Amino acid sequence: QMPKHLVVTRGSKNLYYYHESIKEEIKVEKVENIINATGAGDAFLAATIYGVINDYSFLQAFSLGLKASKLTLESEEAVSKNIADILKK
């Protein structure tokens, strides 16, 4: 049995979101200034979950996750000090 929602991340490539018969390809913005990739996937997942539990649509939650991932890629730390800024509505 398939999960109700499924997201497939592919690093710097676009991600895919599947829900029932819907398949969405979500554009991933190119990050020009990658400093450190450590924690980028974790930041994506954490911000996406934050969005979902705070009643964002799944597409809005993925957008939030991508912003968090980008911040992390552009940071020397595994978790950007600025990540909380993007979580404010």
Side-chain angles (χ1 to χ4, degrees), residues 15-32:
L15 62 89
Y16 292 103
Y17 168 59
Y18 301 89
H19 172 63
E20 296 174 353
S21 63
I22 299 169
K23 176 184 174 185
E24 296 268 350
E25 182 174 2
I26 300 165
K27 184 171 175 35
V28 173
E29 179 183 329
K30 183 174 174 145
V31 180
E32 299 292 337

Side-chain angles (χ1 to χ4, degrees), residues 5 8 12 16 18 20 22 27 30 35-36 42 58 63 71 76-77 79:
H5 300 275
V8 178
S12 63
Y16 292 103
Y18 301 89
E20 296 174 353
I22 299 169
K27 184 171 175 35
K30 183 174 174 145
I35 296 172
N36 184 0
D42 294 333
F58 275 88
S63 177
L71 270 178
E76 291 181 9
E77 295 85 19
V79 177

Side-chain angles (χ1 to χ4, degrees), residues 53-65:
I53 65 174
N54 283 284
D55 297 322
Y56 288 60
S57 73
F58 275 88
L59 296 179
Q60 291 170 324
F62 297 143
S63 177
L64 190 64

